[in-house]
């Protein structure tokens, strides 16, 4: 935590309001995983943070390798001074070494031979993790979950990224959140549930204020328009989307080329289509090596090992997207239209490689045009729906918030975007001067 505290200024500089931490609890030793999910860890391999629980404690304890509880509290306070909130991972599961395994064995599913069944998500196997069975002691599990959440709330944590909530009963989350909301209405729960739409929507209706989404895999113009309209207009009453460009264990295929322009354009889309977006550390450094061909997982993933990154050298060499991300977040904070969900309006373009959309809130009108091709220049005419924009004149003055240039656009605007390295011009984000 003391070393990580040094990175808080970099997070602030990029303009993020929330820093998410994977589980910070003791990690089990039995069936511990090694680098890249091997079953033969070395003596110094840390194990998977989601394999929670060991001789030092469980969900209410800090992993001593990371520091002390005081170090954690100091970290949260240091972040708060920079107006950064800490989001904690709440993974309701246990390693074979978790204290619950001995104290509450009925919280787990047992095989006929008496052994506890580990977690599986075929073809993935998680030998180091025991899932929770709610059938034998529902109230006991609820009480323990509330105790844990109250503890971390008392330490200054107000945001919880709930790991795999779809593998637990929906009514359990209803019970948890109803109680916590009464005590702490400021607390936010984010559902990390990559599953079928019906279940994702059910979790939203159960009370989760934010949800992971399918944005990570929506890449074509048609897919983005359909999904944007879905989350902005069809499900917004109960499903609040958070667009993630990557996650700790998901390296989508379109990032595996390492093309900086792809990283840039995906950041533009995520940060302007919805009010909430996120990225996992390493995205700004264009990390893109997959575990193997055809795999959407990182090589040398931080799930299984410690990774040291050299942000300073990357910045000196210009091999970082951080300045561009800072610019995007600054634009978001200065334009209230980008802080709203239901005002998303797509506009027709004559190219399948260029997408255009608008957002308006009062007198704040933002137009976004993105080249979805990270390799080649693309050009098209954008046909703006002037009635939807609320503009009565044939032409209008805009300022590009990415480079400060001023243009005069019309209802039918010719656009050319060249995604030259390292980032180039992958998009226009313009503010309309309304008279």
């Amino acid at each position: 935590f003391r070393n990580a505290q040094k990175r808080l200024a970099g997070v602030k500089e990029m303009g993020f309001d929330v820093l998410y931490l994977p589980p910070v609890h003791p990690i089990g030793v039995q069936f511990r995983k090694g680098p890249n999910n091997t079953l033969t860890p070395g003596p110094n391999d840390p194990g998977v943070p989601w394999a929670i629980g060991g001789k030092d404690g469980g969900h209410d304890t800090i992993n001593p390798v990371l520091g002390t509880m005081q170090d954690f509290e100091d970290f949260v306070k240091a972040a708060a001074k920079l107006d950064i909130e800490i989001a904690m991972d709440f993974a309701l599961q246990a390693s074979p070494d978790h204290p619950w395994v001995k104290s509450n064995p009925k919280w787990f599913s047992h095989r006929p031979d008496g052994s506890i069944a580990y977690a599986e998500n075929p073809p993935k196997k998680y030998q180091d993790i025991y899932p929770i069975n709610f059938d034998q002691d529902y109230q006991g599990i609820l009480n323990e979950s509330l105790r844990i959440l109250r503890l971390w709330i008392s330490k200054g944590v107000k945001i919880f990224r709930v790991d795999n909530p779809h593998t637990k009963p929906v009514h359990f989350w209803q019970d948890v959140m109803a109680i916590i909301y009464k005590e702490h209405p400021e607390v936010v729960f984010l559902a990390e549930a990559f599953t079928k739409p019906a279940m994702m929507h059910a979790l939203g209706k159960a009370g989760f204020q934010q949800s992971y989404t399918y944005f990570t895999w929506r890449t074509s113009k048609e897919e983005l328009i359909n999904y944007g309209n879905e989350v902005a207009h069809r499900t917004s009453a109960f499903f609040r989307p958070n667009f993630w460009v990557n996650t700790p264990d998901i390296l989508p295929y379109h990032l595996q080329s390492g093309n900086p322009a792809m990283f840039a354009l995906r950041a533009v889309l995520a940060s302007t289509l919805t009010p909430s977006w996120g990225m996992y550390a390493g995205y700004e450094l264009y990390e893109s090596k997959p575990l193997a061909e055809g795999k959407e997982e990182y090589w040398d993933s931080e799930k299984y090992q410690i990774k040291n990154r050299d942000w300073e050298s990357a910045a000196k060499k210009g091999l970082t997207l951080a300045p561009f991300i800072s610019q995007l977040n600054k634009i978001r904070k200065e334009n209230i239209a980008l802080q709203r969900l239901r005002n998303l309006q797509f506009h027709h373009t004559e190219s399948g490689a260029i997408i255009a959309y608008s957002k308006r809130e009062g007198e704040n009108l933002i137009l976004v045009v993105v080249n979805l091709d990270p390799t080649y220049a693309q050009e098209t005419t954008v046909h703006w729906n002037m009635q939807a924009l609320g503009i009565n004149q044939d032409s209008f003055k805009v300022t590009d918030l990415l480079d400060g240039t001023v243009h005069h656009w019309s209802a039918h605007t010719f656009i050319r975007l060249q995604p030259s390295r390292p980032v180039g011009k992958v998009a226009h984000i313009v503010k309309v001067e309304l008279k």
Side-chain angles (χ1 to χ4, degrees):
F1 285 114
R2 293 181 182 179
N3 287 333
Q5 192 167 317
K6 300 174 184 177
R7 274 297 297 163
L8 291 174
V11 175
K12 177 66 175 179
E13 188 175 343
M14 281 192 288
F16 287 109
D17 303 307
V18 177
L19 177 63
Y20 153 68
L21 301 178
V24 295
H25 316 298
I27 299 172
V29 175
Q30 292 187 63
F31 304 106
R32 175 173 285 194
K33 298 294 185 74
N36 295 310
N37 202 23
T38 63
L39 297 175
T40 54
N44 297 319
D45 287 326
V48 177
W50 285 270
I52 298 171
K55 63 180 179 61
D56 295 301
H59 287 70
D60 55 359
T61 311
I62 292 293
N63 187 340
V65 175
L66 301 177
T68 64
M69 182 65 80
Q70 185 62 55
D71 292 331
F72 175 80
E73 293 178 22
D74 291 344
F75 182 79
V76 174
K77 291 176 182 176
K81 289 181 180 179
L82 296 174
D83 292 323
I84 297 173
E85 292 193 67
I86 297 301
M88 174 172 273
D89 199 296
F90 183 55
L92 194 52
Q93 58 204 34
S95 83
D97 298 313
H98 197 292
W100 290 345
V101 176
K102 290 184 178 180
S103 65
N104 299 83
K106 59 184 176 180
W107 289 1
F108 306 96
S109 297
H110 291 74
R111 300 186 183 94
D113 65 1
S115 63
I116 297 177
Y118 59 74
E120 293 187 72
N121 184 19
K124 296 180 181 180
K125 294 184 177 182
Y126 304 95
Q127 296 92 336
D128 54 342
I129 293 175
Y130 288 164
I132 302 295
N133 185 321
F134 290 78
D135 294 338
Q136 301 299 317
D137 185 16
Y138 180 88
Q139 191 62 47
I141 297 169
L142 175 62
N143 292 341
E144 177 69 350
S145 297
L146 292 171
R147 183 186 72 83
I148 293 166
L149 291 168
R150 288 168 177 147
L151 169 68
W152 296 113
I153 292 171
S154 74
K155 303 298 181 182
V157 176
K158 305 299 182 185
I159 303 172
F160 293 93
R161 178 262 197 192
V162 180
D163 189 69
N164 286 327
H166 57 290
T167 61
K168 288 80 177 174
V170 173
H171 67 87
F172 170 77
W173 298 118
Q174 286 180 304
D175 291 343
V176 167
M177 290 183 287
I179 294 170
I180 293 296
Y181 289 163
K182 285 184 179 179
E183 299 173 357
H184 301 281
E186 74 280 9
V187 169
V188 172
F189 287 90
L190 167 63
E192 184 269 337
F194 291 125
T195 185
K196 295 181 179 180
M199 174 55 80
M200 294 172 73
H201 295 164
L203 290 166
K205 293 175 182 178
F208 280 93
Q209 287 103 335
Q210 290 196 11
S211 304
Y212 273 45
T213 68
Y214 297 133
F215 168 78
T216 315
W217 298 277
R218 298 297 184 262
T219 57
S220 72
K221 177 181 176 181
E222 181 180 11
E223 289 173 333
L224 289 165
I225 290 175
N226 288 340
Y227 198 56
N229 281 326
E230 177 183 322
V231 298
H233 305 298
R234 294 196 290 275
T235 62
S236 59
F238 54 85
F239 187 78
R240 294 301 173 129
N242 196 316
F243 278 10
W244 286 79
V245 289
N246 69 331
T247 75
D249 58 350
I250 297 175
L251 171 62
Y253 295 121
H254 54 264
L255 296 181
Q256 294 182 15
S257 69
N259 186 339
M262 177 59 84
F263 285 73
L265 74 88
R266 293 296 294 182
V268 171
L269 292 168
S271 63
T272 58
L273 283 169
T274 61
S276 298
W277 80 292
M279 70 176 206
Y280 190 73
Y283 187 88
E284 72 275 35
L285 301 183
Y286 310 118
E287 291 181 2
S288 56
K289 186 178 180 180
L291 179 64
E293 186 176 353
K295 297 284 188 180
E296 284 190 302
E297 297 180 64
Y298 285 92
W299 175 259
D300 289 343
S301 168
E302 280 192 307
K303 284 175 62 179
Y304 309 105
Q305 65 187 76
I306 302 297
K307 178 177 288 187
N308 292 309
R309 297 182 174 93
D310 192 344
W311 283 280
E312 291 185 8
S313 293
K316 290 178 181 178
K317 297 175 183 177
L319 300 177
T320 175
L321 193 64
F324 186 71
I325 292 168
S326 300
Q327 195 174 16
L328 291 176
N329 280 331
K330 183 174 185 291
I331 291 170
R332 284 163 46 83
K333 291 181 179 180
E334 293 177 350
N335 292 277
I336 193 171
L338 295 176
Q339 301 167 28
R340 300 291 183 265
L341 175 64
R342 297 187 177 103
N343 59 354
L344 177 63
Q345 176 75 40
F346 289 98
H347 299 263
H348 178 66
T349 74
E350 296 179 3
S351 168
I354 295 183
I355 191 170
Y357 48 94
S358 64
K359 287 197 162 190
R360 180 169 184 169
E361 179 72 15
E363 295 301 300
N364 186 223
L365 174 58
I366 301 296
L367 310 182
V368 183
V369 186
V370 184
N371 181 2
L372 303 177
D373 183 345
T375 307
Y376 299 104
Q378 297 289 341
E379 54 188 37
T380 190
T381 298
V382 180
H383 301 282
W384 299 106
N385 183 333
M386 303 296 276
Q387 183 176 1
L389 295 180
I391 297 177
N392 298 320
Q393 63 265 28
D394 293 332
S395 63
F396 49 94
K397 183 179 178 181
V398 303
T399 300
D400 194 319
L401 301 178
L402 289 173
D403 60 18
T405 57
V406 176
H407 308 274
H408 286 86
W409 285 5
S410 68
H412 310 286
T413 304
F414 177 79
I415 297 289
R416 188 177 193 274
L417 292 168
Q418 169 67 56
S420 58
R421 292 177 181 270
V423 173
K425 194 66 177 176
V426 298
H428 288 297
I429 304 176
V430 307
K431 183 176 183 179
V432 179
E433 184 177 305
L434 296 174
K435 296 180 180 179

